[in-house]
Amino acid sequence: MEATAKKIENPRVRIAPSPTGLLHIGTVRTALFNYLFAKKYNGSFILRIEDTDKERSQREYENDILDGLQWLKIVWDEGLNPEARDEYLGDYGPYRQSGRAGIYQSYIKKMLDQGTAYYCFCSKEDLEAQRQYQMSIGQAPKYNGKCSNLPKETVEKYLKEGKPAVIRFRTGGGSVVFQDLIKGRIEFNSALLGDIAIAKDPSTPLYNLAAVIDDYEMKISHVIRGEDHIANTPKQILLQDALGLPHPEYAHLPLILGPDRSKLSKRHGAVSVNHYREKGYLPEAMINFLAFLGWNPDNDREIYAINHLIEEFSLERCQKSSAVFNLQKLDWINGFYIRNKSIKKLAEMGVPYLIEAGLIQPIFETGGHLAGIGGIELGETYLIPETKEKIDIITLENIVSLYQERLKYLSELPELVDFFFKNELDYPQELLFWKDMSQTDIEKALGGLEGVMGAVKPNDWARGHLEEILVQRAAEMGPAGDRGYLLWPLRTALSGKKFSAPPFAIAEILGKEKTLLRLKQAKEKLR
Ligand code: GLU
């Protein structure tokens, strides 16, 4: 059962970002919900660029928005052509508002002719003074209607003189009521609005009017957007009435809050989607996470792939109350998707981060069969700049696999595995000490390890065998069989880290020679 009694069939919905900043988490959440709604009901999802603010709109931001949506595979059916962005897909273009002046003109003219809109010549200073005055007498500020009844001749004279003007909408009084598909019945007293500015000139509408015209022209059936736009809805409904246009259905998604329950903003950390992409969150994890920012299934399941989201999505299950952006939850979901990748795929995704951190470099010798990921060419063999050795992709897969269980996001990888790519580790010698071990104990442990491991035949150098012999040896060493007396110094000597993968696996990957060298280097550090 949907929140609305009307059956939803082939809806047309849209995301209408303004390219005035990097793609924001909130915009993607809105895009996702529109996308899910469109897919669920066999509808169309439209991407419209609201670039009426010429000063603040930039192509760079538009590209960031498109790149982010494409990365997340939130695919639109109409709008800018993702492959050739100067072109449009769909029958209702142009899909950039900057290209639609001709369409807007006829609507604005109609409103001026019918008198539902008028020219206002009040200067900025006048308006500010009015505002100050109204506030000083305890009134909510709104336009005082000074130009609402100027004689026609005066208007014409002013226009001829080139006096700066805006076009205002005669909002009238009375209440506007609409049935929000998420929030329920909403009533708004339009007398509070005053006559709002709707256009800069006869071909340049401001946001509310442009949105109304485009939603109509693009046959939008449902406007699903953030709650921060709820105050625009009565204005848009009044404009639709003035123009004799039908009303689309409205659904306002709850606000996204930071952990301190204030509106999510830069203060809470990064809000641009690209940040999360660069940090190594997987697109499917982002989608899963964003879906829960305002929607819940009717069960406890938390992992949802996009096709399941499409199946289960409904506006009825969107919540009225705010959603909290919880980074731990995102990390948890991302970890889940990382654990579910094949090791081959995970290594392929991790390699660009290792390259970026300078731990490895691609070698361009394989010619034809290089695959590109994130702009970096991937091959089969890499160079380790510090050791001047080569490392193959299989070894890299082995290294990455050690951390598959604990990785929260891919950019954590270099820091976890850097010790595989170094000649010598740089770590405080105290790191080697386990519990109450003395220097002599450590030296003994390291020396013992050198002996036992040095005796392992190269063919037996495998994690299972190493574990077998070392665990046995460790049990003999420490008090009451505390294996840490041997295994802690081993692990820290090999990795230089307090927390790392099991030492046997590290030793296997490092190889016998390097393992013995690290034990020797660690012993030297103690001197
Ligand atoms: N351009 C508006 C924004 O970026 C769109 C609002 C709407 O969906 O109507 O917030």
Side-chain angles (χ1 to χ4, degrees):
M1 268 276 294
E2 278 299 324
T4 167
K6 284 184 211 157
K7 193 159 181 276
I8 302 166
E9 259 173 313
N10 316 115
R12 290 180 55 83
V13 294
R14 81 319 190 258
I15 177 82
S18 305
T20 53
L22 298 173
L23 179 60
H24 188 283
I25 287 285
T27 309
V28 182
R29 192 271 311 253
T30 303
L32 174 64
F33 282 38
N34 275 282
Y35 171 82
L36 295 175
F37 186 78
K39 295 297 133 195
K40 165 130 190 183
Y41 300 106
N42 262 323
S44 302
F45 173 49
I46 292 131
L47 170 70
R48 172 170 89 221
I49 295 291
E50 299 208 329
D51 56 351
T52 46
D53 185 340
K54 291 199 185 69
E55 284 82 54
R56 292 173 57 226
S57 294
Q58 286 181 30
R59 273 297 160 101
E60 177 199 335
Y61 293 138
E62 187 185 285
N63 281 328
D64 184 72
I65 293 169
L66 269 69
D67 292 345
L69 293 173
Q70 282 182 273
W71 171 63
L72 291 165
K73 299 199 175 71
I74 301 181
V75 182
W76 54 95
D77 306 295
E78 289 173 32
L80 274 55
N81 181 340
E83 306 311 330
R85 294 178 178 180
D86 281 327
E87 293 166 16
Y88 298 118
L89 301 173
D91 297 335
Y92 303 94
Y95 291 88
R96 278 188 192 89
Q97 290 188 329
S98 52
R100 299 176 65 80
I103 298 170
Y104 301 138
Q105 234 164 11
S106 59
Y107 286 88
I108 298 174
K109 182 170 183 311
K110 179 172 173 188
M111 291 183 79
L112 287 167
D113 288 349
Q114 71 191 10
T116 48
Y118 60 86
Y119 281 98
C120 165
F121 300 94
C122 293
S123 66
K124 274 209 179 86
E125 295 74 32
D126 274 356
L127 295 171
E128 182 54 25
Q130 279 175 33
R131 211 176 70 86
Q132 296 288 346
Y133 170 71
Q134 287 166 339
M135 282 174 34
S136 73
I137 57 168
Q139 277 179 4
K142 63 176 185 184
Y143 182 60
N144 69 2
K146 191 171 162 209
C147 297
S148 61
N149 289 305
L150 290 180
K152 214 171 159 218
E153 303 73 50
T154 314
V155 172
E156 270 160 20
K157 179 171 161 282
Y158 284 170
L159 288 175
K160 227 185 240 150
E161 288 169 5
K163 202 169 156 77
V166 295
I167 297 168
R168 285 189 186 275
F169 173 44
R170 224 179 276 284
T171 21
S175 68
V176 184
V177 180
F178 66 97
Q179 194 64 30
D180 189 286
L181 297 183
I182 295 171
K183 304 259 169 198
R185 184 179 188 274
I186 292 180
E187 185 166 358
F188 196 88
N189 179 1
S190 70
L192 296 173
L193 296 174
D195 290 351
I196 56 168
I198 53 167
K200 283 190 186 160
D201 59 57
S203 54
T204 316
L206 294 168
Y207 159 69
N208 277 301
L209 181 59
V212 160
I213 297 171
D214 290 345
D215 286 343
Y216 171 69
E217 290 272 338
M218 296 179 182
K219 299 197 166 30
I220 299 301
S221 61
H222 294 74
V223 171
I224 305 171
R225 61 185 170 197
E227 189 183 317
D228 44 338
H229 283 289
I230 211 159
N232 288 320
T233 305
K235 298 176 192 170
Q236 296 181 4
I237 289 176
L238 289 169
L239 285 165
Q240 285 150 2
D241 288 345
L243 287 164
L245 307 179
H247 303 148
E249 302 274 358
Y250 286 95
H252 289 92
L253 303 171
L255 287 181
I256 305 175
L257 307 181
D260 63 354
R261 304 199 70 82
S262 68
K263 195 176 163 196
L264 186 69
S265 74
K266 283 198 186 126
R267 281 187 305 113
H268 298 110
V271 287
S272 104
V273 169
N274 205 27
H275 165 87
Y276 293 91
R277 179 182 184 171
E278 283 174 359
K279 238 178 145 185
Y281 288 96
L282 313 190
E284 53 270 50
M286 286 304 287
I287 290 283
N288 192 152
F289 172 73
L290 290 166
F292 277 77
L293 288 179
W295 170 85
N296 289 293
D298 60 359
N299 58 55
D300 294 339
R301 194 169 138 188
E302 293 192 284
I303 296 296
Y304 273 86
I306 190 78
N307 53 333
H308 294 130
L309 287 172
I310 294 172
E311 266 165 40
E312 301 216 1
F313 183 81
S314 73
L315 291 175
E316 194 187 29
R317 293 213 61 86
C318 289
Q319 69 204 45
K320 289 189 177 54
S321 56
S322 308
V324 176
F325 185 93
N326 178 343
L327 199 55
Q328 283 80 38
K329 173 114 187 253
L330 175 58
D331 285 346
W332 178 82
I333 293 179
N334 204 49
F336 174 86
Y337 284 94
I338 286 180
R339 289 194 293 283
N340 277 277
K341 287 278 168 217
S342 72
I343 191 59
K344 190 168 175 337
K345 186 80 201 153
L346 186 61
E348 200 175 293
M349 293 190 307
V351 158
Y353 290 87
L354 302 181
I355 295 176
E356 173 79 21
L359 297 175
I360 57 172
Q361 280 171 3
I363 301 174
F364 299 103
E365 62 185 20
T366 44
H369 47 282
L370 292 174
I373 298 261
I376 293 173
E377 298 272 288
L378 297 180
E380 293 296 313
T381 313
Y382 297 83
L383 177 74
I384 304 177
E386 179 165 328
T387 65
K388 308 273 179 287
E389 291 162 324
K390 285 185 182 173
I391 186 166
D392 58 28
I393 187 74
I394 304 295
T395 310
L396 288 171
E397 285 173 12
N398 288 336
I399 291 175
V400 171
S401 78
L402 297 181
Y403 293 91
Q404 185 166 24
E405 286 299 313
R406 71 170 71 173
L407 261 188
K408 295 200 287 282
Y409 41 86
L410 299 171
S411 62
E412 279 188 319
L413 193 60
E415 218 188 310
L416 292 168
V417 303
D418 56 0
F419 62 90
F420 282 105
F421 308 91
K422 303 226 159 130
N423 276 326
E424 202 168 336
L425 303 181
D426 185 19
Y427 52 84
Q429 51 161 277
E430 308 84 74
L431 193 68
L432 297 165
F433 289 75
W434 173 252
K435 291 188 179 165
D436 58 354
M437 281 177 101
S438 67
Q439 176 141 340
T440 330
D441 293 338
I442 300 277
E443 270 180 55
K444 241 172 77 192
L446 293 172
L449 285 163
E450 274 181 296
V452 178
M453 297 179 92
V456 175
K457 289 198 216 91
N459 276 349
D460 292 337
W461 193 265
R463 63 186 82 180
H465 179 68
L466 293 171
E467 177 164 4
E468 203 178 299
I469 55 169
L470 290 170
V471 165
Q472 192 193 339
R473 181 64 195 258
E476 296 157 14
M477 264 203 61
D482 184 342
R483 306 200 297 179
Y485 281 77
L486 189 72
L487 301 186
W488 176 272
L490 173 64
R491 199 170 55 73
T492 51
L494 298 188
S495 70
K497 292 192 195 297
K498 220 169 170 169
F499 303 103
S500 76
F504 323 109
I506 298 176
E508 178 189 88
I509 297 173
L510 281 175
K512 183 170 170 182
E513 199 183 319
K514 243 191 210 156
T515 300
L516 294 176
L517 179 65
R518 290 230 166 142
L519 292 171
K520 193 162 143 251
Q521 287 169 337
K523 241 168 55 187
E524 276 159 16
K525 288 232 179 250
L526 290 168
R527 306 241 160 84

